């Protein structure tokens, strides 16, 4: 039974329980037909909820110190590129001879 805690989300179970309770109050005859559907829907709905929760928590914000170091590195690379563009290439040197 402990493996079910990895498959079933509490929020989904609570929502499905509320739906079953509402059906028991407002449409008791339909509860017998809807209960198996609610039980089967619990696992796929739990997986969807867990996937959404994981996708939201897996994108951490970039710390400002990391952002500053990236900007510094980008500036250094741009300066190096400008210097290299100004130097003659090996092909240009051989053509001049």
């Amino acid at each position: 039974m402990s493996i079910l805690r990895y498959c079933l989300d509490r929020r989904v179970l609570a929502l499905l329980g509320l739906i079953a309770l509402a059906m028991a109050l407002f449409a008791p005859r339909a509860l017998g037909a809807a209960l198996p559907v609610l039980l089967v829907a619990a696992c796929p709905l739990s997986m969807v909820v867990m996937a959404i929760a994981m996708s939201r928590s897996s994108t951490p914000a970039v710390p400002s110190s990391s952002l500053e170091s990236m900007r510094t590195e980008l500036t250094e690379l741009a300066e190096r590129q400008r210097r290299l563009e100004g130097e003659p290439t090996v092909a240009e040197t051989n053509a001049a001879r």
Side-chain angles (χ1 to χ4, degrees), residues 20-88:
L21 181 63
M23 288 189 74
L25 293 175
F26 298 111
R29 290 184 183 175
L31 183 62
L35 194 58
V37 175
L38 292 175
L39 291 174
V40 169
C43 189
L45 290 174
S46 293
M47 292 299 145
V48 169
V49 169
M50 287 183 203
I52 292 170
M54 288 176 64
S55 69
R56 287 183 182 170
S57 67
S58 68
T59 54
V62 176
S64 61
S65 61
S66 175
L67 189 60
E68 287 301 318
S69 67
M70 287 180 188
R71 286 182 180 157
T72 304
E73 184 177 356
L74 185 60
T75 304
E76 290 171 359
L77 287 172
E79 290 174 12
R80 182 176 176 200
Q81 181 180 3
R82 275 187 244 115
R83 277 187 276 125
L84 290 174
E85 287 174 351
E87 293 179 5

